[in-house]
Amino acid sequence: MASSSAWLVLLMGIGLSGALDLNLQNSSSKLLTVLNTSAPVQELLYHIDVWRNEAAAVAQDNPTSSNLESVIRSEVGGDWERGRLVLQLANQARTLELKQAIYTALWKELQQTKQIYDPLKILEFYDQLAVHTDVPLQLMDHIYRAFISRSAQLLEAPFHTASRLATFPLVNSLVNRLTFSTLDYLRDILEVLYDAVLALETPLSVVQRLGNLTASLRQLAQANLQLLSREELKRGNPEVQKALQSNIRNLLSQPGFEKEVAKSLQSEIYAHLPKDEQLLYTARKVCIRNVTEENSYIYECPQTYLICSNARDPKKAAYFIQRGHSNDSRPQFAFYSAFWRSRYILMEPATAIASNATNSITKNVYSRPNINWWRVVYGNGGIAFYDAATENSVLCGGDPLHWDGEEHHVYTRHASEFSAHQAECTWSLEDCSDAA
Ligand SMILES: *[C@@H]1O[C@H](CO)[C@@H](O)[C@H](O)[C@H]1NC(C)=O
Ligand SMILES: *[C@@H]1O[C@H](CO)[C@@H](O)[C@H](O)[C@H]1NC(C)=O
Ligand SMILES: *[C@@H]1O[C@H](CO)[C@@H](O)[C@H](O)[C@H]1NC(C)=O
Ligand SMILES: *[C@@H]1O[C@H](CO)[C@@H](O)[C@H](O)[C@H]1NC(C)=O
Ligand SMILES: *[C@@H]1O[C@H](CO)[C@@H](O)[C@H](O)[C@H]1NC(C)=O
Ligand SMILES: *[C@@H]1O[C@H](CO)[C@@H](O)[C@H](O)[C@H]1NC(C)=O
């Protein structure tokens, strides 16, 4: 009876604070009722103690808050919905001490429950706390770090599997949830994640698993850049470099890349590509030249509308780059010249290339007003241009047998002949953005 009269005293003595727009009416909780008031902490504690019929625990350092904490925790009792209500009531509490006791108690209670294994639950709590202005920074920081390390732990799963086909729904939903948060969260998670996985797995395997991660393009851009900057990957293993470039090219091949990824991240990504490839994304205009011959650039022939190898003249050789995607979403490029009246470098479909020819050239590369897409392939210290429509032809030049006086025509070969004629079919790009 003592306790119920004490409650009466409490409730009547301090009066109820202003209307709370909370759906707590049917809760029978005494604690919620107490927290719903603006009573001073000592008074609250006194009445709580009476209610619980306990002698006040007189701990040395911080009896007040530890007492409050334990009361609040026993109230929440692992029921996270109740925790949510208690957190809302924190707004109502008059003293900072009481508020902070609520925050701390809820965090401790969250850790006791299995919820702590789910980074999304921690993030939710963190976000809820973040709208309160009076949560101690230290506590916020602690919760944030717990969120980061639990997230990293979850994200490790795909990096420790031997299969590139396995799926990870929990990882996907975490990553998906993170698309609604600043990239900083992801960056912090990746730092912890890479520490762990690079200690246990080979760099090659880590790069490959990252290549299979399902995430938004900006997340993948961030993740690849962060991996690229790791010391563990700077030991020059060519396999690893190849795998990293393959990841990056996959990113670039996504039609949304230029739209979704911040410009600053884009330039960081481009910076990791070989020079020729970089220019395709960063230069306004390029000149295409023979990879070994310093003075051999392609543009319209002196007499005809064919394309020739000509002497260096940036004005004539500068081509604007147009980027596109074929319907299987791979990148393709078109080159048009303002100097040559907005004409493109165009390959006409080759008529009847003998199916098993081993040494066939076709002079079918023109300066024409229609757009024409080229597929660019990197290697041999330069790049090769295949016609994007069929990928059956590759752009070559430099063999005087196929010239005609002043007209040093370029030509195409069947794609299968590329390896036998690499010098003839490998080109280099120069940045000609500044050419008039
Ligand atoms: C309170 O009771 C009403 C009606 O009985 C019910 O719809 C509501 O969900 C209850 N609220 C809580 C928090 O239990
Ligand atoms: C909290 O206070 C409001 C307004 O005084 C009251 O309507 C509500 O029932 C109280 N909630 C609890 C859980 O006591
Ligand atoms: C993983 O990546 C490899 C290489 O890009 C690819 O061949 C494979 O299909 C991918 N697996 C899945 C499940 O996406
Ligand atoms: C791309 O589209 C063309 C016609 O628009 C079609 O013939 C071709 O099969 C498509 N290719 C793919 C990979 O979908
Ligand atoms: C194709 O190659 C085979 C063997 O290399 C040869 O016998 C045949 O005559 C060739 N056909 C043509 C159309 O050149
Ligand atoms: C580049 O120049 C060399 C030497 O003249 C020649 O053999 C080669 O075919 C040329 N390649 C191209 C792509 O023009």
Side-chain angles (χ1 to χ4, degrees), residues 16-20 24-25 27 29 32-33 36 89:
L16 293 174
S17 59
L20 254 190
L24 295 173
Q25 283 75 6
S27 167
S29 159
L32 288 183
T33 314
N36 197 9
L89 286 171

Side-chain angles (χ1 to χ4, degrees), residues 5-241:
S5 52
W7 273 94
L8 199 59
V9 168
L10 175 66
L11 291 178
M12 302 198 4
I14 58 186
L16 293 174
S17 59
L20 254 190
D21 189 21
L22 291 172
N23 196 11
L24 295 173
Q25 283 75 6
N26 11 12
S27 167
S28 60
S29 159
K30 286 176 181 169
L31 180 76
L32 288 183
T33 314
V34 177
L35 294 180
N36 197 9
T37 69
S38 54
V41 170
Q42 292 307 334
E43 204 171 323
L44 282 182
L45 275 178
Y46 170 73
H47 288 290
I48 286 168
D49 285 341
V50 173
W51 155 46
R52 300 171 93 210
N53 204 13
E54 280 177 13
V58 207
Q60 253 87 40
D61 27 332
N62 200 352
T64 308
S65 61
S66 66
N67 221 0
L68 261 178
E69 268 167 42
S70 70
V71 171
I72 293 164
R73 290 185 58 187
S74 74
E75 175 62 31
V76 173
D79 176 352
W80 199 238
E81 285 309 307
R82 275 171 104 79
R84 218 192 290 270
L85 295 179
V86 170
L87 182 58
Q88 290 176 48
L89 286 171
N91 284 328
Q92 210 49 34
R94 179 192 280 173
T95 66
L96 201 55
E97 203 178 6
L98 177 53
K99 287 182 182 184
Q100 298 189 346
I102 291 175
Y103 303 141
T104 307
L106 288 178
W107 171 235
K108 286 190 176 160
E109 196 55 27
L110 186 63
Q111 291 174 84
Q112 281 307 302
T113 65
K114 297 254 159 54
Q115 316 264 16
I116 192 75
Y117 291 104
D118 182 354
L120 291 182
K121 281 281 191 309
I122 307 179
L123 181 56
E124 189 190 332
F125 181 58
Y126 182 78
D127 283 347
Q128 285 165 0
L129 279 189
V131 303
H132 297 252
T133 53
D134 43 19
V135 183
L137 282 181
Q138 210 186 355
L139 180 62
M140 286 302 274
D141 188 52
H142 191 72
I143 296 170
Y144 182 73
R145 275 185 288 119
F147 160 65
I148 295 300
S149 83
R150 292 289 172 180
S151 298
Q153 229 164 41
L154 183 54
L155 263 174
E156 273 182 48
F159 289 86
H160 294 313
T161 176
S163 162
R164 299 198 70 174
L165 294 172
T167 58
F168 300 87
L170 285 178
V171 171
N172 292 348
S173 64
L174 170 64
V175 169
N176 185 49
R177 168 63 187 77
L178 287 173
T179 59
F180 301 106
S181 303
T182 148
L183 266 186
D184 294 353
Y185 290 6
L186 181 67
R187 192 187 51 221
D188 292 348
I189 293 168
L190 290 170
E191 216 44 48
V192 177
L193 170 75
Y194 290 152
D195 278 347
V197 295
L198 286 168
L200 296 169
E201 307 286 346
T202 64
L204 181 59
S205 154
V206 172
V207 173
Q208 288 176 339
R209 294 305 173 275
L210 180 59
N212 279 104
L213 197 70
T214 308
S216 75
L217 293 176
R218 51 198 285 272
Q219 290 175 323
L220 288 176
Q222 173 71 33
N224 276 289
L225 283 172
Q226 228 169 307
L227 188 54
L228 277 162
S229 71
R230 297 285 305 204
E231 276 312 311
E232 295 92 329
L233 271 80
K234 290 187 174 154
R235 299 192 188 122
N237 177 345
E239 281 283 314
V240 176
Q241 298 310 318

Side-chain angles (χ1 to χ4, degrees), residues 332 372-375 386-392:
Q332 53 186 8
N372 182 76
W373 293 107
W374 297 90
R375 178 99 51 224
Y386 291 79
D387 75 294
T390 69
E391 293 178 64
N392 280 337

